[in-house]
Amino acid sequence: MAGLDDVFGDLFSNVDAAALFSPSGSYYERFVEVDEVDVIVVGTENDVSAETFVELPLEFDNISDRIRFGLEGALNQDIIEDGDTLACATSVFSDDIDTVSRVRADADSHTGIYDLFARSRADPEVIKSVLELAIELGQKGQKGKPVGALFIVGDAGKVMNKSRPLSYNPFEKSHVHVGDPIVNVMLKEFSRLDGAFVISDAGKIVSAYRYLEPSAEGVDIPKGLGARHMAGGAITRDTNAIAIVLSESDGLVRAFKAGELILEVDPEAY
Ligand SMILES: Nc1ncnc2c1ncn2[C@@H]1O[C@H](COP(=O)(O)OP(=O)(O)OP(=O)(O)O)[C@@H](O)[C@H]1O
Ligand SMILES: [Mn+2]
C-alpha cells in the first residue's frame, strides 16, 4: 500500500539542496541535523545566521518570483549549479513554511532580477530603497490619485549628460540621500511633476525634473508602454544606470537594466 509519503515524497527525493525561504530559527535548526542535503537559506535578512545565505531585496509576494530570485542568487554565488534540483520550502498562506516546490535551476531562464540588485553600479541598498519608495507611491498615490514616477539610479554623471532640465532643480545644492525619511516625503511631493529623478550610485539625489534624451535605438520595451517607460528603458542602454518606473496608467512598478525590462511588480500585492 502506498501512503501519502510515497507520493509527496517525490517532491523532495534526490534533490541537490534544500532552499528554505525565510525560515524561523527553530525550523532552520531542524535542518542543521539533516546531513542528506545542503541547506540554503534565502530571505531579506539572515535572521537564523545560516552558513549559506542568499539575500532577497524584497519579500516577493509572488511565489515564483521569490523562488526564481533565490535560485538566480544561488547560481550567481556558485552555491548551486545549472541543472541542480532543489526542494524550495516557502510560506504562502501563513508565516510558517507550508509549501514545498521542486525546482530545477536553469541558468538559461535567467531573468536578471538578481543582477539588477547585486551587479549594478549603484549600491544594492539604494536600489532597494528606491524600489520600496516606488511601491509605496504606487500604493498610496498622491492625495488618493494615481501618480507616475521615474527614477534613474546610478551612473548619474552620464545620465545628466544625456538629459536636460525641465525646471529648476530643487536638489541643486543639497546633499540628501534616498532612504532618509524626509527625502522620501520630498520625492513623493515632487513626483507630481514632470520628468525623472536622477540618483547617484551612493543614493544622493542629484536632480529632479530631468527630461531624458537617450537614443531609443535598439530598445525593446513591451508594447503599450509610453514615453516615460521608453525614456527610462532607453537610458539604461546608453548608461550603466537602472530605471525604476511607476506607471500612472496601470499602477505597476517596473525596473529596466541594459535596455531590458527585468522586473514587474504590483504595489497592491505588497
Ligand atoms: N523623455 C522623458 N524624460 C523624462 N520624463 C518623461 C519623458 N517622456 C515622458 N516623461 C514623463 O512621463 C509622463 C507620462 O508620459 P507617457 O504617458 O507618455 O508615459 P507612459 O510610459 O505611458 O507612463 P504612464 O504609464 O505613467 O502613463 C510625462 O508627463 C512626463 O512627465
Ligand atoms: Mn501614458
Side-chain angles (χ1 to χ4, degrees), residues 147-150 163 166 191-197 209-214 221 224-232 245-252 254:
V147 292
L150 174 56
S163 60
L166 286 167
S191 66
R192 267 180 306 153
L193 298 142
D194 270 353
F197 292 101
Y209 306 128
R210 290 303 280 195
Y211 182 74
L212 308 176
E213 298 181 306
I221 70 161
L225 297 174
R228 193 196 319 267
H229 293 84
M230 178 58 86
V245 193
L246 168 62
S247 167
E248 185 177 344
S249 37
D250 67 15
L252 300 183
R254 296 181 176 83

PDB file of all heavy atoms in Angstrom, residues 147-150 163 166 191-197 209-214 221 224-232 245-252 254, ligand 1:
ATOM      1  N   VAL A 147      -0.321  58.215  -9.307  1.00  0.00           N
ATOM      2  CA  VAL A 147       0.768  59.030  -9.852  1.00  0.00           C
ATOM      3  C   VAL A 147       1.742  58.131 -10.597  1.00  0.00           C
ATOM      4  O   VAL A 147       1.828  56.930 -10.349  1.00  0.00           O
ATOM      5  CB  VAL A 147       1.585  59.780  -8.757  1.00  0.00           C
ATOM      6  CG1 VAL A 147       0.771  60.845  -8.095  1.00  0.00           C
ATOM      7  CG2 VAL A 147       2.185  58.843  -7.749  1.00  0.00           C
ATOM      8  N   GLY A 148       2.496  58.759 -11.489  1.00  0.00           N
ATOM      9  CA  GLY A 148       3.576  58.058 -12.157  1.00  0.00           C
ATOM     10  C   GLY A 148       4.877  58.657 -11.662  1.00  0.00           C
ATOM     11  O   GLY A 148       4.893  59.775 -11.141  1.00  0.00           O
ATOM     12  N   ALA A 149       5.963  57.914 -11.776  1.00  0.00           N
ATOM     13  CA  ALA A 149       7.263  58.453 -11.381  1.00  0.00           C
ATOM     14  C   ALA A 149       8.359  57.688 -12.113  1.00  0.00           C
ATOM     15  O   ALA A 149       8.178  56.528 -12.494  1.00  0.00           O
ATOM     16  CB  ALA A 149       7.458  58.333  -9.878  1.00  0.00           C
ATOM     17  N   LEU A 150       9.478  58.383 -12.283  1.00  0.00           N
ATOM     18  CA  LEU A 150      10.614  57.793 -12.993  1.00  0.00           C
ATOM     19  C   LEU A 150      11.889  58.083 -12.212  1.00  0.00           C
ATOM     20  O   LEU A 150      12.210  59.243 -11.949  1.00  0.00           O
ATOM     21  CB  LEU A 150      10.677  58.403 -14.411  1.00  0.00           C
ATOM     22  CG  LEU A 150      11.840  58.058 -15.320  1.00  0.00           C
ATOM     23  CD1 LEU A 150      11.962  56.550 -15.501  1.00  0.00           C
ATOM     24  CD2 LEU A 150      11.647  58.713 -16.688  1.00  0.00           C
ATOM     25  N   SER A 163      20.530  64.271 -20.606  1.00  0.00           N
ATOM     26  CA  SER A 163      19.218  64.787 -20.223  1.00  0.00           C
ATOM     27  C   SER A 163      19.312  66.298 -20.069  1.00  0.00           C
ATOM     28  O   SER A 163      20.401  66.868 -20.067  1.00  0.00           O
ATOM     29  CB  SER A 163      18.783  64.147 -18.899  1.00  0.00           C
ATOM     30  OG  SER A 163      19.709  64.443 -17.871  1.00  0.00           O
ATOM     31  N   LEU A 166      13.861  70.363 -16.963  1.00  0.00           N
ATOM     32  CA  LEU A 166      12.546  70.880 -17.343  1.00  0.00           C
ATOM     33  C   LEU A 166      12.186  72.082 -16.483  1.00  0.00           C
ATOM     34  O   LEU A 166      11.333  72.874 -16.845  1.00  0.00           O
ATOM     35  CB  LEU A 166      11.480  69.789 -17.143  1.00  0.00           C
ATOM     36  CG  LEU A 166      11.469  68.646 -18.152  1.00  0.00           C
ATOM     37  CD1 LEU A 166      10.594  67.510 -17.644  1.00  0.00           C
ATOM     38  CD2 LEU A 166      10.974  69.133 -19.502  1.00  0.00           C
ATOM     39  N   SER A 191       7.052  64.061  -7.125  1.00  0.00           N
ATOM     40  CA  SER A 191       6.697  63.078  -8.156  1.00  0.00           C
ATOM     41  C   SER A 191       5.457  63.495  -8.933  1.00  0.00           C
ATOM     42  O   SER A 191       5.160  62.938  -9.974  1.00  0.00           O
ATOM     43  CB  SER A 191       6.492  61.699  -7.537  1.00  0.00           C
ATOM     44  OG  SER A 191       5.361  61.731  -6.696  1.00  0.00           O
ATOM     45  N   ARG A 192       4.727  64.495  -8.426  1.00  0.00           N
ATOM     46  CA  ARG A 192       3.582  65.010  -9.178  1.00  0.00           C
ATOM     47  C   ARG A 192       4.048  65.700 -10.444  1.00  0.00           C
ATOM     48  O   ARG A 192       3.272  65.904 -11.361  1.00  0.00           O
ATOM     49  CB  ARG A 192       2.839  66.041  -8.330  1.00  0.00           C
ATOM     50  CG  ARG A 192       1.715  65.453  -7.539  1.00  0.00           C
ATOM     51  CD  ARG A 192       1.055  66.547  -6.760  1.00  0.00           C
ATOM     52  NE  ARG A 192       2.033  67.278  -5.962  1.00  0.00           N
ATOM     53  CZ  ARG A 192       1.907  68.545  -5.591  1.00  0.00           C
ATOM     54  NH1 ARG A 192       0.866  69.233  -5.954  1.00  0.00           N
ATOM     55  NH2 ARG A 192       2.823  69.121  -4.846  1.00  0.00           N
ATOM     56  N   LEU A 193       5.295  66.137 -10.432  1.00  0.00           N
ATOM     57  CA  LEU A 193       5.772  66.969 -11.534  1.00  0.00           C
ATOM     58  C   LEU A 193       6.489  66.127 -12.578  1.00  0.00           C
ATOM     59  O   LEU A 193       6.817  64.974 -12.364  1.00  0.00           O
ATOM     60  CB  LEU A 193       6.653  68.071 -10.951  1.00  0.00           C
ATOM     61  CG  LEU A 193       5.778  68.917 -10.013  1.00  0.00           C
ATOM     62  CD1 LEU A 193       6.533  69.352  -8.802  1.00  0.00           C
ATOM     63  CD2 LEU A 193       5.151  70.056 -10.756  1.00  0.00           C
ATOM     64  N   ASP A 194       6.710  66.760 -13.714  1.00  0.00           N
ATOM     65  CA  ASP A 194       7.229  66.036 -14.870  1.00  0.00           C
ATOM     66  C   ASP A 194       8.682  65.598 -14.757  1.00  0.00           C
ATOM     67  O   ASP A 194       9.444  66.144 -13.978  1.00  0.00           O
ATOM     68  CB  ASP A 194       7.111  66.930 -16.097  1.00  0.00           C
ATOM     69  CG  ASP A 194       5.775  66.716 -16.780  1.00  0.00           C
ATOM     70  OD1 ASP A 194       5.050  65.795 -16.368  1.00  0.00           O
ATOM     71  OD2 ASP A 194       5.491  67.468 -17.716  1.00  0.00           O
ATOM     72  N   GLY A 195       9.032  64.658 -15.592  1.00  0.00           N
ATOM     73  CA  GLY A 195      10.434  64.303 -15.756  1.00  0.00           C
ATOM     74  C   GLY A 195      10.903  63.226 -14.798  1.00  0.00           C
ATOM     75  O   GLY A 195      10.111  62.564 -14.145  1.00  0.00           O
ATOM     76  N   ALA A 196      12.236  63.083 -14.724  1.00  0.00           N
ATOM     77  CA  ALA A 196      12.833  61.985 -13.967  1.00  0.00           C
ATOM     78  C   ALA A 196      13.650  62.500 -12.787  1.00  0.00           C
ATOM     79  O   ALA A 196      14.157  63.625 -12.811  1.00  0.00           O
ATOM     80  CB  ALA A 196      13.753  61.186 -14.889  1.00  0.00           C
ATOM     81  N   PHE A 197      13.785  61.655 -11.776  1.00  0.00           N
ATOM     82  CA  PHE A 197      14.745  61.886 -10.707  1.00  0.00           C
ATOM     83  C   PHE A 197      16.047  61.193 -11.096  1.00  0.00           C
ATOM     84  O   PHE A 197      16.014  60.053 -11.585  1.00  0.00           O
ATOM     85  CB  PHE A 197      14.282  61.266  -9.390  1.00  0.00           C
ATOM     86  CG  PHE A 197      13.079  61.942  -8.801  1.00  0.00           C
ATOM     87  CD1 PHE A 197      11.818  61.383  -8.944  1.00  0.00           C
ATOM     88  CD2 PHE A 197      13.213  63.130  -8.099  1.00  0.00           C
ATOM     89  CE1 PHE A 197      10.699  62.002  -8.395  1.00  0.00           C
ATOM     90  CE2 PHE A 197      12.101  63.758  -7.546  1.00  0.00           C
ATOM     91  CZ  PHE A 197      10.842  63.192  -7.701  1.00  0.00           C
ATOM     92  N   TYR A 209      13.119  66.673 -12.110  1.00  0.00           N
ATOM     93  CA  TYR A 209      12.691  67.348 -13.347  1.00  0.00           C
ATOM     94  C   TYR A 209      13.653  67.189 -14.517  1.00  0.00           C
ATOM     95  O   TYR A 209      13.866  68.145 -15.254  1.00  0.00           O
ATOM     96  CB  TYR A 209      12.536  68.862 -13.126  1.00  0.00           C
ATOM     97  CG  TYR A 209      11.662  69.288 -12.009  1.00  0.00           C
ATOM     98  CD1 TYR A 209      12.137  70.198 -11.060  1.00  0.00           C
ATOM     99  CD2 TYR A 209      10.351  68.822 -11.885  1.00  0.00           C
ATOM    100  CE1 TYR A 209      11.331  70.635 -10.023  1.00  0.00           C
ATOM    101  CE2 TYR A 209       9.546  69.259 -10.853  1.00  0.00           C
ATOM    102  CZ  TYR A 209      10.039  70.169  -9.928  1.00  0.00           C
ATOM    103  OH  TYR A 209       9.262  70.609  -8.910  1.00  0.00           O
ATOM    104  N   ARG A 210      14.242  66.039 -14.683  1.00  0.00           N
ATOM    105  CA  ARG A 210      15.117  65.877 -15.851  1.00  0.00           C
ATOM    106  C   ARG A 210      14.334  65.264 -17.005  1.00  0.00           C
ATOM    107  O   ARG A 210      13.626  64.267 -16.836  1.00  0.00           O
ATOM    108  CB  ARG A 210      16.300  64.946 -15.543  1.00  0.00           C
ATOM    109  CG  ARG A 210      17.324  65.498 -14.616  1.00  0.00           C
ATOM    110  CD  ARG A 210      17.929  66.784 -15.055  1.00  0.00           C
ATOM    111  NE  ARG A 210      18.982  66.691 -16.060  1.00  0.00           N
ATOM    112  CZ  ARG A 210      19.812  67.687 -16.340  1.00  0.00           C
ATOM    113  NH1 ARG A 210      19.715  68.849 -15.706  1.00  0.00           N
ATOM    114  NH2 ARG A 210      20.734  67.545 -17.275  1.00  0.00           N
ATOM    115  N   TYR A 211      14.494  65.850 -18.142  1.00  0.00           N
ATOM    116  CA  TYR A 211      13.931  65.292 -19.364  1.00  0.00           C
ATOM    117  C   TYR A 211      15.017  64.453 -20.018  1.00  0.00           C
ATOM    118  O   TYR A 211      16.081  64.972 -20.368  1.00  0.00           O
ATOM    119  CB  TYR A 211      13.463  66.411 -20.299  1.00  0.00           C
ATOM    120  CG  TYR A 211      12.822  65.875 -21.550  1.00  0.00           C
ATOM    121  CD1 TYR A 211      11.548  65.309 -21.516  1.00  0.00           C
ATOM    122  CD2 TYR A 211      13.505  65.899 -22.759  1.00  0.00           C
ATOM    123  CE1 TYR A 211      10.964  64.788 -22.654  1.00  0.00           C
ATOM    124  CE2 TYR A 211      12.928  65.381 -23.912  1.00  0.00           C
ATOM    125  CZ  TYR A 211      11.658  64.829 -23.847  1.00  0.00           C
ATOM    126  OH  TYR A 211      11.085  64.306 -24.981  1.00  0.00           O
ATOM    127  N   LEU A 212      14.786  63.166 -20.144  1.00  0.00           N
ATOM    128  CA  LEU A 212      15.820  62.261 -20.661  1.00  0.00           C
ATOM    129  C   LEU A 212      15.826  62.259 -22.181  1.00  0.00           C
ATOM    130  O   LEU A 212      14.763  62.212 -22.809  1.00  0.00           O
ATOM    131  CB  LEU A 212      15.579  60.836 -20.157  1.00  0.00           C
ATOM    132  CG  LEU A 212      15.398  60.644 -18.647  1.00  0.00           C
ATOM    133  CD1 LEU A 212      15.079  59.184 -18.342  1.00  0.00           C
ATOM    134  CD2 LEU A 212      16.656  61.076 -17.895  1.00  0.00           C
ATOM    135  N   GLU A 213      17.034  62.290 -22.719  1.00  0.00           N
ATOM    136  CA  GLU A 213      17.153  62.252 -24.175  1.00  0.00           C
ATOM    137  C   GLU A 213      18.111  61.146 -24.629  1.00  0.00           C
ATOM    138  O   GLU A 213      19.110  61.416 -25.285  1.00  0.00           O
ATOM    139  CB  GLU A 213      17.641  63.610 -24.693  1.00  0.00           C
ATOM    140  CG  GLU A 213      16.670  64.728 -24.383  1.00  0.00           C
ATOM    141  CD  GLU A 213      17.145  66.079 -24.912  1.00  0.00           C
ATOM    142  OE1 GLU A 213      18.271  66.478 -24.589  1.00  0.00           O
ATOM    143  OE2 GLU A 213      16.381  66.690 -25.652  1.00  0.00           O
ATOM    144  N   PRO A 214      17.813  59.911 -24.285  1.00  0.00           N
ATOM    145  CA  PRO A 214      18.664  58.805 -24.732  1.00  0.00           C
ATOM    146  C   PRO A 214      18.326  58.470 -26.175  1.00  0.00           C
ATOM    147  O   PRO A 214      17.260  58.856 -26.651  1.00  0.00           O
ATOM    148  CB  PRO A 214      18.247  57.669 -23.811  1.00  0.00           C
ATOM    149  CG  PRO A 214      16.807  57.946 -23.516  1.00  0.00           C
ATOM    150  CD  PRO A 214      16.652  59.452 -23.518  1.00  0.00           C
ATOM    151  N   ILE A 221      11.068  47.628 -25.591  1.00  0.00           N
ATOM    152  CA  ILE A 221      10.217  47.602 -24.405  1.00  0.00           C
ATOM    153  C   ILE A 221       8.815  47.143 -24.812  1.00  0.00           C
ATOM    154  O   ILE A 221       8.415  47.328 -25.962  1.00  0.00           O
ATOM    155  CB  ILE A 221      10.202  48.946 -23.635  1.00  0.00           C
ATOM    156  CG1 ILE A 221       9.469  50.024 -24.407  1.00  0.00           C
ATOM    157  CG2 ILE A 221      11.609  49.379 -23.236  1.00  0.00           C
ATOM    158  CD1 ILE A 221       9.047  51.179 -23.518  1.00  0.00           C
ATOM    159  N   GLY A 224       2.612  49.161 -25.682  1.00  0.00           N
ATOM    160  CA  GLY A 224       1.572  49.667 -24.791  1.00  0.00           C
ATOM    161  C   GLY A 224       2.143  50.587 -23.728  1.00  0.00           C
ATOM    162  O   GLY A 224       1.413  51.357 -23.126  1.00  0.00           O
ATOM    163  N   LEU A 225       3.444  50.491 -23.516  1.00  0.00           N
ATOM    164  CA  LEU A 225       4.071  51.412 -22.571  1.00  0.00           C
ATOM    165  C   LEU A 225       4.455  52.682 -23.337  1.00  0.00           C
ATOM    166  O   LEU A 225       4.858  52.617 -24.492  1.00  0.00           O
ATOM    167  CB  LEU A 225       5.297  50.776 -21.921  1.00  0.00           C
ATOM    168  CG  LEU A 225       5.013  49.532 -21.072  1.00  0.00           C
ATOM    169  CD1 LEU A 225       6.315  48.895 -20.605  1.00  0.00           C
ATOM    170  CD2 LEU A 225       4.131  49.871 -19.882  1.00  0.00           C
ATOM    171  N   GLY A 226       4.329  53.821 -22.667  1.00  0.00           N
ATOM    172  CA  GLY A 226       4.545  55.091 -23.348  1.00  0.00           C
ATOM    173  C   GLY A 226       5.919  55.689 -23.193  1.00  0.00           C
ATOM    174  O   GLY A 226       6.923  54.984 -22.985  1.00  0.00           O
ATOM    175  N   ALA A 227       5.955  57.018 -23.300  1.00  0.00           N
ATOM    176  CA  ALA A 227       7.213  57.764 -23.364  1.00  0.00           C
ATOM    177  C   ALA A 227       8.057  57.657 -22.089  1.00  0.00           C
ATOM    178  O   ALA A 227       9.285  57.585 -22.153  1.00  0.00           O
ATOM    179  CB  ALA A 227       6.918  59.230 -23.648  1.00  0.00           C
ATOM    180  N   ARG A 228       7.392  57.630 -20.931  1.00  0.00           N
ATOM    181  CA  ARG A 228       8.130  57.540 -19.672  1.00  0.00           C
ATOM    182  C   ARG A 228       8.928  56.243 -19.621  1.00  0.00           C
ATOM    183  O   ARG A 228      10.112  56.225 -19.279  1.00  0.00           O
ATOM    184  CB  ARG A 228       7.149  57.594 -18.496  1.00  0.00           C
ATOM    185  CG  ARG A 228       7.822  57.811 -17.160  1.00  0.00           C
ATOM    186  CD  ARG A 228       6.958  57.506 -15.943  1.00  0.00           C
ATOM    187  NE  ARG A 228       5.582  57.916 -15.958  1.00  0.00           N
ATOM    188  CZ  ARG A 228       5.113  59.072 -15.481  1.00  0.00           C
ATOM    189  NH1 ARG A 228       5.932  59.947 -14.957  1.00  0.00           N
ATOM    190  NH2 ARG A 228       3.815  59.340 -15.517  1.00  0.00           N
ATOM    191  N   HIS A 229       8.248  55.157 -19.966  1.00  0.00           N
ATOM    192  CA  HIS A 229       8.907  53.841 -19.923  1.00  0.00           C
ATOM    193  C   HIS A 229       9.970  53.719 -21.006  1.00  0.00           C
ATOM    194  O   HIS A 229      11.033  53.139 -20.771  1.00  0.00           O
ATOM    195  CB  HIS A 229       7.866  52.734 -20.048  1.00  0.00           C
ATOM    196  CG  HIS A 229       6.944  52.650 -18.866  1.00  0.00           C
ATOM    197  ND1 HIS A 229       5.832  53.445 -18.745  1.00  0.00           N
ATOM    198  CD2 HIS A 229       7.011  51.907 -17.741  1.00  0.00           C
ATOM    199  CE1 HIS A 229       5.222  53.173 -17.589  1.00  0.00           C
ATOM    200  NE2 HIS A 229       5.921  52.247 -16.962  1.00  0.00           N
ATOM    201  N   MET A 230       9.668  54.277 -22.176  1.00  0.00           N
ATOM    202  CA  MET A 230      10.646  54.231 -23.269  1.00  0.00           C
ATOM    203  C   MET A 230      11.918  54.981 -22.872  1.00  0.00           C
ATOM    204  O   MET A 230      13.030  54.482 -23.035  1.00  0.00           O
ATOM    205  CB  MET A 230      10.021  54.828 -24.538  1.00  0.00           C
ATOM    206  CG  MET A 230      10.953  54.879 -25.722  1.00  0.00           C
ATOM    207  SD  MET A 230      11.605  53.254 -26.184  1.00  0.00           S
ATOM    208  CE  MET A 230      10.298  52.671 -27.254  1.00  0.00           C
ATOM    209  N   ALA A 231      11.728  56.186 -22.331  1.00  0.00           N
ATOM    210  CA  ALA A 231      12.888  57.002 -21.943  1.00  0.00           C
ATOM    211  C   ALA A 231      13.678  56.310 -20.823  1.00  0.00           C
ATOM    212  O   ALA A 231      14.909  56.253 -20.858  1.00  0.00           O
ATOM    213  CB  ALA A 231      12.433  58.393 -21.493  1.00  0.00           C
ATOM    214  N   GLY A 232      12.945  55.780 -19.848  1.00  0.00           N
ATOM    215  CA  GLY A 232      13.591  55.085 -18.731  1.00  0.00           C
ATOM    216  C   GLY A 232      14.348  53.862 -19.206  1.00  0.00           C
ATOM    217  O   GLY A 232      15.508  53.642 -18.833  1.00  0.00           O
ATOM    218  N   VAL A 245      10.407  52.564 -12.672  1.00  0.00           N
ATOM    219  CA  VAL A 245       9.305  53.348 -13.213  1.00  0.00           C
ATOM    220  C   VAL A 245       7.986  52.937 -12.574  1.00  0.00           C
ATOM    221  O   VAL A 245       7.646  51.753 -12.550  1.00  0.00           O
ATOM    222  CB  VAL A 245       9.178  53.134 -14.750  1.00  0.00           C
ATOM    223  CG1 VAL A 245       8.252  54.188 -15.360  1.00  0.00           C
ATOM    224  CG2 VAL A 245      10.526  53.147 -15.438  1.00  0.00           C
ATOM    225  N   LEU A 246       7.259  53.923 -12.068  1.00  0.00           N
ATOM    226  CA  LEU A 246       5.894  53.674 -11.592  1.00  0.00           C
ATOM    227  C   LEU A 246       4.963  54.213 -12.671  1.00  0.00           C
ATOM    228  O   LEU A 246       5.039  55.380 -13.050  1.00  0.00           O
ATOM    229  CB  LEU A 246       5.651  54.401 -10.262  1.00  0.00           C
ATOM    230  CG  LEU A 246       4.185  54.479  -9.788  1.00  0.00           C
ATOM    231  CD1 LEU A 246       3.598  53.097  -9.529  1.00  0.00           C
ATOM    232  CD2 LEU A 246       4.084  55.345  -8.527  1.00  0.00           C
ATOM    233  N   SER A 247       4.082  53.360 -13.163  1.00  0.00           N
ATOM    234  CA  SER A 247       3.165  53.773 -14.218  1.00  0.00           C
ATOM    235  C   SER A 247       1.913  54.395 -13.626  1.00  0.00           C
ATOM    236  O   SER A 247       1.264  53.809 -12.765  1.00  0.00           O
ATOM    237  CB  SER A 247       2.777  52.568 -15.069  1.00  0.00           C
ATOM    238  OG  SER A 247       1.675  52.902 -15.890  1.00  0.00           O
ATOM    239  N   GLU A 248       1.574  55.568 -14.135  1.00  0.00           N
ATOM    240  CA  GLU A 248       0.354  56.230 -13.695  1.00  0.00           C
ATOM    241  C   GLU A 248      -0.863  55.496 -14.270  1.00  0.00           C
ATOM    242  O   GLU A 248      -1.908  55.450 -13.639  1.00  0.00           O
ATOM    243  CB  GLU A 248       0.373  57.683 -14.184  1.00  0.00           C
ATOM    244  CG  GLU A 248      -0.782  58.501 -13.684  1.00  0.00           C
ATOM    245  CD  GLU A 248      -0.703  59.960 -14.121  1.00  0.00           C
ATOM    246  OE1 GLU A 248       0.387  60.408 -14.549  1.00  0.00           O
ATOM    247  OE2 GLU A 248      -1.733  60.639 -14.039  1.00  0.00           O
ATOM    248  N   SER A 249      -0.696  54.910 -15.448  1.00  0.00           N
ATOM    249  CA  SER A 249      -1.870  54.309 -16.086  1.00  0.00           C
ATOM    250  C   SER A 249      -2.192  52.896 -15.621  1.00  0.00           C
ATOM    251  O   SER A 249      -3.358  52.566 -15.457  1.00  0.00           O
ATOM    252  CB  SER A 249      -1.781  54.389 -17.606  1.00  0.00           C
ATOM    253  OG  SER A 249      -0.469  54.205 -18.054  1.00  0.00           O
ATOM    254  N   ASP A 250      -1.186  52.037 -15.405  1.00  0.00           N
ATOM    255  CA  ASP A 250      -1.566  50.691 -14.928  1.00  0.00           C
ATOM    256  C   ASP A 250      -1.138  50.407 -13.487  1.00  0.00           C
ATOM    257  O   ASP A 250      -1.406  49.334 -12.962  1.00  0.00           O
ATOM    258  CB  ASP A 250      -1.089  49.584 -15.890  1.00  0.00           C
ATOM    259  CG  ASP A 250       0.414  49.430 -15.951  1.00  0.00           C
ATOM    260  OD1 ASP A 250       1.108  49.965 -15.061  1.00  0.00           O
ATOM    261  OD2 ASP A 250       0.909  48.772 -16.884  1.00  0.00           O
ATOM    262  N   GLY A 251      -0.480  51.377 -12.861  1.00  0.00           N
ATOM    263  CA  GLY A 251      -0.146  51.259 -11.444  1.00  0.00           C
ATOM    264  C   GLY A 251       1.001  50.314 -11.120  1.00  0.00           C
ATOM    265  O   GLY A 251       1.332  50.116  -9.959  1.00  0.00           O
ATOM    266  N   LEU A 252       1.642  49.717 -12.135  1.00  0.00           N
ATOM    267  CA  LEU A 252       2.719  48.761 -11.862  1.00  0.00           C
ATOM    268  C   LEU A 252       4.073  49.458 -11.738  1.00  0.00           C
ATOM    269  O   LEU A 252       4.286  50.520 -12.318  1.00  0.00           O
ATOM    270  CB  LEU A 252       2.803  47.700 -12.967  1.00  0.00           C
ATOM    271  CG  LEU A 252       1.563  46.828 -13.202  1.00  0.00           C
ATOM    272  CD1 LEU A 252       1.849  45.782 -14.280  1.00  0.00           C
ATOM    273  CD2 LEU A 252       1.106  46.146 -11.912  1.00  0.00           C
ATOM    274  N   ARG A 254       8.006  48.991 -12.587  1.00  0.00           N
ATOM    275  CA  ARG A 254       8.880  48.189 -13.452  1.00  0.00           C
ATOM    276  C   ARG A 254      10.324  48.636 -13.296  1.00  0.00           C
ATOM    277  O   ARG A 254      10.578  49.812 -13.037  1.00  0.00           O
ATOM    278  CB  ARG A 254       8.462  48.330 -14.920  1.00  0.00           C
ATOM    279  CG  ARG A 254       7.072  47.784 -15.212  1.00  0.00           C
ATOM    280  CD  ARG A 254       6.720  47.939 -16.680  1.00  0.00           C
ATOM    281  NE  ARG A 254       5.427  47.344 -17.009  1.00  0.00           N
ATOM    282  CZ  ARG A 254       4.252  47.949 -16.829  1.00  0.00           C
ATOM    283  NH1 ARG A 254       4.201  49.164 -16.326  1.00  0.00           N
ATOM    284  NH2 ARG A 254       3.129  47.323 -17.154  1.00  0.00           N
TER     285      ARG A 254
HETATM  286  N1  LIG B   1      11.949  61.577 -22.072  1.00  0.00           N
HETATM  287  C1  LIG B   1      11.374  61.763 -20.879  1.00  0.00           C
HETATM  288  N2  LIG B   1      12.131  62.069 -19.791  1.00  0.00           N
HETATM  289  C2  LIG B   1      11.566  62.244 -18.592  1.00  0.00           C
HETATM  290  N3  LIG B   1      10.263  62.117 -18.349  1.00  0.00           N
HETATM  291  C3  LIG B   1       9.456  61.813 -19.384  1.00  0.00           C
HETATM  292  C4  LIG B   1       9.958  61.593 -20.680  1.00  0.00           C
HETATM  293  N4  LIG B   1       8.918  61.306 -21.509  1.00  0.00           N
HETATM  294  C5  LIG B   1       7.817  61.317 -20.721  1.00  0.00           C
HETATM  295  N5  LIG B   1       8.129  61.601 -19.445  1.00  0.00           N
HETATM  296  C6  LIG B   1       7.218  61.753 -18.305  1.00  0.00           C
HETATM  297  O1  LIG B   1       6.267  60.729 -18.363  1.00  0.00           O
HETATM  298  C7  LIG B   1       4.974  61.280 -18.238  1.00  0.00           C
HETATM  299  C8  LIG B   1       3.964  60.361 -18.852  1.00  0.00           C
HETATM  300  O2  LIG B   1       4.220  60.178 -20.241  1.00  0.00           O
HETATM  301  P1  LIG B   1       3.544  58.952 -21.013  1.00  0.00           P
HETATM  302  O3  LIG B   1       2.117  58.845 -20.632  1.00  0.00           O
HETATM  303  O4  LIG B   1       3.860  59.061 -22.471  1.00  0.00           O
HETATM  304  O5  LIG B   1       4.400  57.743 -20.419  1.00  0.00           O
HETATM  305  P2  LIG B   1       3.935  56.281 -20.059  1.00  0.00           P
HETATM  306  O6  LIG B   1       5.132  55.423 -20.303  1.00  0.00           O
HETATM  307  O7  LIG B   1       2.653  55.955 -20.759  1.00  0.00           O
HETATM  308  O8  LIG B   1       3.711  56.371 -18.490  1.00  0.00           O
HETATM  309  P3  LIG B   1       2.362  56.099 -17.641  1.00  0.00           P
HETATM  310  O9  LIG B   1       2.165  54.613 -17.667  1.00  0.00           O
HETATM  311  O10 LIG B   1       2.695  56.626 -16.295  1.00  0.00           O
HETATM  312  O11 LIG B   1       1.261  56.873 -18.350  1.00  0.00           O
HETATM  313  C9  LIG B   1       5.118  62.634 -18.870  1.00  0.00           C
HETATM  314  O12 LIG B   1       4.119  63.514 -18.385  1.00  0.00           O
HETATM  315  C10 LIG B   1       6.487  63.048 -18.396  1.00  0.00           C
HETATM  316  O13 LIG B   1       6.431  63.577 -17.058  1.00  0.00           O
END
